[in-house]
Amino acid sequence: MYTPKHFAAYELVPKTIFSDLGDSAILVFDNRILQVMDQLREFFGKPIIVNDWKNGGSFEFRGFRPQYYVQGAKYSQHRFGRALDFNVKDMTDAEVQKQILLNQKKFPLLTAMEKGTVGWSHIDCRNCDNTKGVQLFNP
């Protein structure tokens, strides 16, 4: 079990999951995505925001998405604990994506990323062959 160095469970799961499981909510994630997020935090050297509901913000479902959450794809990588949407402080999603792609060898567990600018960065660690690098897909 990987324990993130830079993220608390409440930053990655919705209110109800955190209410039910507390810090153990981290167990809903694939270890790979947690490791990649720590690597990205260290690489960028800036705060990364996934969910901010605990501080009065509007983001609650950008990490793990339980089955009762009706938005998004039915079999999204978020529902398997293998995906996160996030913003890096003082950077656009285009800048974040560019830097990840230019430095993808630093993130060997990262397998896929949403391409294009949509207001956030989506990464995931889906089960696929990433020997040719990070796979880009359309939202």
Side-chain angles (χ1 to χ4, degrees), residues 62-81:
R62 297 191 336 158
F64 181 76
R65 292 183 185 156
Q67 292 304 313
Y68 66 78
Y69 182 68
V70 296
Q71 293 180 333
K74 184 176 181 180
Y75 295 109
S76 162
Q77 295 299 308
H78 289 273
R79 298 189 191 276
F80 298 101

Side-chain angles (χ1 to χ4, degrees), residues 63-125:
F64 181 76
R65 292 183 185 156
Q67 292 304 313
Y68 66 78
Y69 182 68
V70 296
Q71 293 180 333
K74 184 176 181 180
Y75 295 109
S76 162
Q77 295 299 308
H78 289 273
R79 298 189 191 276
F80 298 101
R82 294 189 295 246
L84 294 167
D85 296 337
F86 63 93
N87 296 95
V88 177
K89 186 175 180 169
D90 299 325
M91 293 183 74
T92 67
D93 50 325
E95 293 168 328
V96 170
Q97 184 181 89
K98 180 180 178 180
Q99 287 303 310
I100 290 172
L101 291 174
L102 286 172
N103 295 282
Q104 59 187 290
K105 291 187 191 275
K106 294 181 180 189
F107 316 108
L109 299 175
L110 180 60
T111 58
M113 186 166 55
E114 202 169 81
K115 68 179 173 179
T117 55
V118 291
W120 62 85
S121 297
H122 168 100
I123 60 164
D124 64 59
C125 295

Side-chain angles (χ1 to χ4, degrees), residues 12-13 25-31 33-34 63-64 81-84:
L12 306 174
V13 299
I26 212 74
L27 295 172
V28 302
F29 287 96
D30 185 304
N31 285 337
I33 195 72
L34 299 174
F64 181 76
R82 294 189 295 246
L84 294 167

Side-chain angles (χ1 to χ4, degrees), residues 2 4-7 31-46 48 100 103-110 123 125:
Y2 182 82
K5 296 179 245 179
H6 301 289
F7 299 90
N31 285 337
R32 296 172 296 171
I33 195 72
L34 299 174
Q35 290 174 47
V36 169
M37 284 304 288
D38 271 347
Q39 291 168 348
L40 289 171
R41 174 63 180 83
E42 291 167 8
F43 174 76
F44 287 114
K46 298 178 177 196
I48 294 178
I100 290 172
N103 295 282
Q104 59 187 290
K105 291 187 191 275
K106 294 181 180 189
F107 316 108
L109 299 175
L110 180 60
I123 60 164
C125 295

